[in-house]
Amino acid sequence: MHPLAEELNSILDKTAAGRLLSSFGRRIYFPKGIIAQSGEAKKQAHRANATIGMAYKDGGPLMLKSIASFMPSFSPDEAVAYAPTAGLEEARLAWKQEMVRKNPSINGDAISLPAVIPGLTSGISYTADLFVDTDQAVLSAYPCWDNYALVIEGRRGGVLKGVPFFVPGRGLDLDAIASGCKEAAKGGQLRVLFNFPQNPSGYTPSIGEGEALVNIIGEAARGGADVLVMVDDAYFGLFYEDSLKESLFGRFAGLDERVLAVKIDGPTKEDYVWGFRMGFLTFGSRGMNVETYGALEKKLMGTIRSSVSCVNTPAQSIMLKTLADSETGKEKAACFRLMKRRYQAVRAFVDSRADHGILEALPFNSGYFMSFLCKGISAEKLRRELLAVHGIGTVALGPYLRVAFSCLEEEQIPGIFETIYKSAGEIQVRGL
Ligand SMILES: Cc1ncc(COP(=O)(O)O)c(C=O)c1O
């Protein structure tokens, strides 16, 4: 084991984070190499900084004219310079400030500074690198975003335990979630991944259900288990009904010394920048302080440095300017209203077919999607028929058919949903 890894491990050993580390998590460290030395030089090398693999002229990074012409308002530092391993300090501070503003239940003084990561997927992947080992279980909703299985099982060799989270027509199956967590916690460790608004159901818990989830996690911790709670807030903010309007991260972070909460969020969906490839990862645990957060951040920086090295600078610079722009709030509110109208059009249509015997909607009230449980017909057959005969693209996930209403114009919605219901009926009649 590298001495720097040993040093970080000894700082973390007394925390839930330290006890939850995977073998990769124990091994990884942030070297005192090029990046660390270059960081030191940035502050102190007043004569010449000959540390980093970039090219400078007249005190700034070289930039080709054509690149500059696409980013006319950016300095070379904002456009082409390497960003620090954990991201531009100003972007991290601005995101944290926004996070606390949007979620008053988060105590900004008791969490880490969000680190910039290359998209939310990498946040899940890095968290799994650090905290999930071969054969270890991670509980999540069934159905869930299909990439969770690729990360937890394909990449990490763990086991994604799908708990049927949803009761059609109602909400969360809290008994199933509680017993899944209780069972997993028996081994002394519990790893859970929550994602609300959820993909693919489109569900966000009610305030009471949120409280129940906090109690379930608290009970596991009080029972002696170390708990990792990953909070995937990809679709944060798109709440159309009377549900939770804050991330549960703040509650988990303040809950118990045995709970390590990891918030994975970012502008991908919230700010409509899917291809930017940037997100944020924040740690929160009642048992942690500046020193232990610092050690954990070094582990994360080692994970970033050893994979993508750092995240793309223009995306961070643009996000920083966007957060500071007084028009952003108004424009995002207009986007929200557009999405909400689409949700309402879907809601009205689905409610009018509540007695349909074949397609049963999972509870939905938020986000980009809704999903049908296909009863007595194959979701994949329905998907293929919708595509081949009607030119409508949807996604089949096991027995579920997911519809991304975020991609549909409001006027299209009744016609498209009529076709979905009709096709399901025809498939059943044909006995497919
Ligand atoms: C639940 C969920 N989490 C994370 C992501 C990935 O986000 P990103 O594109 O930032 O990697 C998605 C994307 O579809 C998602 O649905």
Side-chain angles (χ1 to χ4, degrees):
M1 182 90 64
H2 193 285
L4 286 174
E6 273 171 2
E7 191 185 321
L8 298 176
N9 293 344
S10 72
I11 296 171
L12 289 168
D13 271 344
K14 290 169 291 300
T15 65
R19 293 187 295 271
L20 285 160
L21 284 174
S22 64
S23 47
F24 170 90
R26 292 199 73 75
R27 222 166 43 235
I28 197 75
Y29 59 93
F30 189 66
K32 294 201 162 104
I34 298 164
I35 298 296
Q37 293 173 36
S38 169
E40 260 176 54
K42 215 170 182 179
K43 289 183 199 135
Q44 291 169 34
H46 51 84
R47 186 158 167 220
N49 182 358
T51 57
I52 194 82
M54 285 172 50
Y56 278 74
K57 186 170 180 292
D58 304 329
L62 281 174
M63 177 156 64
L64 298 180
K65 280 205 187 68
S66 70
I67 304 279
S69 75
F70 290 116
M71 294 186 260
S73 65
F74 278 4
S75 69
D77 273 323
E78 291 169 324
V80 294
Y82 279 134
T85 310
L88 296 178
E89 178 93 354
E90 310 89 293
R92 302 176 66 187
L93 288 166
W95 189 260
K96 183 172 185 178
Q97 198 180 348
E98 267 297 280
M99 183 198 288
V100 173
R101 186 190 64 75
K102 293 183 289 195
N103 297 275
S105 60
I106 295 179
N107 175 0
D109 296 330
I111 59 170
S112 71
L113 186 61
V116 182
I117 48 167
L120 279 82
T121 306
S122 69
I124 296 153
S125 192
Y126 291 162
T127 309
D129 285 349
L130 288 171
F131 298 110
V132 181
D133 254 326
T134 312
D135 296 334
Q136 284 180 339
V138 177
L139 257 70
S140 195
Y142 174 76
C144 65
W145 186 39
D146 61 356
N147 212 1
Y148 291 163
L150 201 59
V151 172
I152 304 298
E153 301 193 334
R155 187 183 163 85
R156 296 298 305 154
V159 181
L160 185 68
K161 276 213 166 140
V163 175
F165 265 35
F166 309 106
V167 188
R170 279 207 283 134
L172 289 185
D173 188 340
L174 290 166
D175 289 341
I177 299 169
S179 68
C181 288
K182 213 170 176 177
E183 189 57 35
K186 277 186 186 157
Q189 294 195 335
L190 169 63
R191 292 170 175 79
V192 199
L193 204 174
F194 290 128
N195 159 229
F196 305 120
Q198 208 253 358
N199 177 4
S201 67
Y203 190 67
T204 295
S206 66
I207 289 169
E209 288 173 328
E211 209 55 47
L213 293 178
V214 173
N215 285 337
I216 289 168
I217 297 303
E219 233 168 71
R222 286 190 295 277
D226 289 315
V227 187
L228 171 74
V229 193
M230 295 187 233
V231 181
D232 176 349
D233 283 333
Y235 300 90
F236 181 82
L238 296 167
F239 307 115
Y240 312 124
E241 300 277 4
D242 192 15
S243 66
L244 276 177
K245 300 250 174 1
E246 283 191 49
S247 168
L248 286 171
F249 169 77
R251 300 294 308 285
F252 293 134
L255 195 55
D256 191 291
E257 296 205 350
R258 286 193 175 275
V259 177
L260 171 66
V262 182
K263 187 178 195 322
I264 297 148
D265 60 11
T268 306
K269 320 272 179 179
E270 267 192 67
D271 298 325
Y272 311 96
V273 288
W274 308 274
F276 265 29
R277 310 317 304 145
M278 73 171 287
F280 292 89
L281 192 153
T282 312
F283 298 112
S285 175
R286 206 174 159 160
M288 294 185 69
N289 54 31
V290 174
E291 187 194 22
T292 48
Y293 279 136
L296 198 49
E297 179 174 280
K298 285 257 157 42
K299 295 262 180 200
L300 177 62
M301 284 164 67
T303 314
I304 297 170
R305 176 73 173 148
S306 63
S307 54
V308 293
S309 192
C310 63
V311 179
N312 105 50
T313 302
Q316 296 183 58
S317 304
I318 293 172
M319 273 323 298
L320 200 49
K321 287 178 196 287
T322 304
L323 287 173
D325 188 330
S326 61
E327 289 301 303
T328 300
K330 277 180 254 168
E331 218 182 319
K332 276 185 69 175
C335 293
F336 173 83
R337 287 193 295 274
L338 179 78
M339 299 289 276
K340 185 169 178 176
R341 283 198 301 276
R342 292 175 184 178
Y343 159 78
Q344 285 169 331
V346 175
R347 175 92 266 160
F349 201 96
V350 170
D351 284 352
S352 75
R353 301 292 167 94
D355 56 354
H356 195 265
I358 307 165
L359 297 181
E360 184 171 50
L362 288 179
F364 68 107
N365 56 10
S366 55
Y368 278 27
F369 312 105
M370 63 81 58
S371 285
F372 290 112
L373 170 64
C374 300
K375 298 196 292 191
I377 62 163
S378 146
E380 172 59 10
K381 288 211 170 110
L382 176 55
R383 179 191 77 83
R384 277 198 260 130
E385 169 124 342
L386 287 169
L387 191 59
V389 180
H390 303 284
I392 297 171
T394 55
V395 169
L397 297 159
Y400 300 96
L401 186 85
R402 187 189 78 172
V403 186
F405 58 78
S406 56
C407 298
L408 303 177
E409 298 296 340
E410 193 182 337
E411 319 75 76
Q412 291 181 297
I413 285 170
I416 284 173
F417 276 77
E418 179 70 59
T419 308
I420 294 173
Y421 280 102
K422 209 160 157 243
S423 297
E426 285 165 5
I427 288 174
Q428 192 193 44
V429 169
R430 290 205 303 269
L432 290 171

